[in-house]
Amino acid sequence: MEAKVNYIVKTLGKQLVNEKTFPLLFYYNYNQLIKPRCELLREKLNYFELEHVLPLTDEQFCMTYDIRMEDLRRKKAERPANEERDILWSYVSGV
């Protein structure tokens, strides 16, 4: 969870209390969803809302933001996928 908070606050410059997806954004995988998508969008856009970026499928994300699927796959491959469960969600059954 610490990596997500640091990335969102320090790298993206977003305040968690102002994010409409907070605290649900901690549910999304950092290495396979948050970082790859945000890195690609940072190259294209000055500003984007996490609430519009995170819940999309990969196909919807690429179509919505005019990003090639190959570029998204390349970004995802930069960091290995891992089983990620934050302490925040440990009390939710089935997650």
Side-chain angles (χ1 to χ4, degrees), residues 44-76:
K44 286 187 80 141
L45 306 171
N46 290 330
Y47 180 80
F48 56 89
E49 293 281 348
L50 292 175
E51 68 179 290
H52 301 296
V53 173
L54 300 179
L56 302 174
T57 65
D58 285 349
E59 292 78 15
Q60 291 169 326
F61 170 76
C62 289
M63 229 156 109
T64 301
Y65 294 100
D66 192 31
I67 291 174
R68 296 177 339 147
M69 184 61 80
E70 297 80 34
D71 293 337
L72 180 58
R73 287 186 185 122
R74 180 183 45 80
K75 278 289 185 193
K76 285 182 172 192

Side-chain angles (χ1 to χ4, degrees), residues 10-80:
K10 294 178 180 175
T11 305
L12 299 180
K14 297 187 179 283
Q15 298 296 320
L16 290 178
V17 295
N18 296 332
E19 288 302 316
K20 293 178 183 173
T21 56
F22 179 77
L24 188 58
L25 65 88
F26 292 119
Y27 175 74
Y28 296 104
N29 187 285
Y30 174 69
N31 290 331
Q32 292 298 298
L33 198 135
I34 295 174
K35 189 164 185 183
R37 290 183 183 190
C38 291
E39 290 298 307
L40 287 168
L41 287 178
R42 287 178 66 213
E43 295 170 7
K44 286 187 80 141
L45 306 171
N46 290 330
Y47 180 80
F48 56 89
E49 293 281 348
L50 292 175
E51 68 179 290
H52 301 296
V53 173
L54 300 179
L56 302 174
T57 65
D58 285 349
E59 292 78 15
Q60 291 169 326
F61 170 76
C62 289
M63 229 156 109
T64 301
Y65 294 100
D66 192 31
I67 291 174
R68 296 177 339 147
M69 184 61 80
E70 297 80 34
D71 293 337
L72 180 58
R73 287 186 185 122
R74 180 183 45 80
K75 278 289 185 193
K76 285 182 172 192
E78 289 176 6
R79 296 183 66 103

